[in-house]
Amino acid sequence: MNKRLLTFGATALTTALLLSGAALAGDDKDQDQATSEGDVVEVEMVDNRFKPDELEVTVGTTVRWVNVERRSNHDIYFPEEDIKSGRLFPEESWERTFDEAGTYEYYCQPHENRGMHGVIRVVEESDE
């Protein structure tokens, strides 16, 4: 009976690993594309860059910045409005909802000199 239980456990584990690998393979997206969850769009902070560094969204969209670095911390700073996120350490995130059309330039204060800049273009939703 123990041999049968071990065989079943090994088969279940192998199946789970294969299924998780298939799910990960299907989730392989272009690094420079933002991911979207309904009205939330994610921007990754990695390699001292925002990925993507330019993004166009419709009014009412929430943008979520996620620090996917292993060690470095970042922030998001909108100088024209003096809006900032505070430091985000690995695996932390910050969100902002854009309620007005316009162009919103931002950067990471600690890494501005390394070119860590981004821009969000907010447009009215089209009636197509």
Side-chain angles (χ1 to χ4, degrees):
M1 181 160 162
N2 285 341
K3 186 176 180 180
R4 186 182 297 176
L5 185 58
L6 285 174
T7 302
F8 175 77
T11 302
L13 179 60
T14 301
T15 302
L17 289 172
L18 288 172
L19 289 175
S20 67
L24 287 174
D27 193 33
D28 192 20
K29 63 181 182 287
D30 183 349
Q31 288 282 348
D32 287 336
Q33 297 297 314
T35 58
S36 177
E37 298 175 5
D39 291 323
V40 177
V41 177
E42 285 192 356
V43 173
E44 292 183 343
M45 295 179 282
V46 63
D47 299 327
N48 291 321
R49 290 188 53 215
F50 294 106
K51 290 189 178 182
D53 58 357
E54 293 187 27
L55 186 62
E56 183 174 290
V57 299
T58 56
V59 171
T61 299
T62 298
V63 176
R64 177 185 301 133
W65 287 267
V66 182
N67 184 351
V68 297
E69 298 275 12
R70 298 183 85 204
R71 293 182 185 92
S72 189
N73 63 75
H74 300 289
D75 71 0
I76 299 99
Y77 178 60
F78 293 88
E80 291 197 17
E81 304 161 282
D82 194 30
I83 294 174
K84 52 188 152 190
S85 65
R87 293 284 177 108
L88 299 174
F89 292 88
E91 299 183 24
E92 291 184 332
S93 63
W94 182 75
E95 296 181 353
R96 178 176 178 187
T97 301
F98 292 89
D99 293 323
E100 293 183 26
T103 299
Y104 299 83
E105 295 182 10
Y106 64 95
Y107 58 87
C108 173
Q109 290 176 310
H111 303 111
E112 178 185 15
N113 63 345
R114 295 184 185 176
M116 192 168 180
H117 297 257
V119 62
I120 307 289
R121 290 181 184 82
V122 182
V123 298
E124 296 291 338
E125 193 167 341
S126 63
D127 293 332
E128 292 180 25

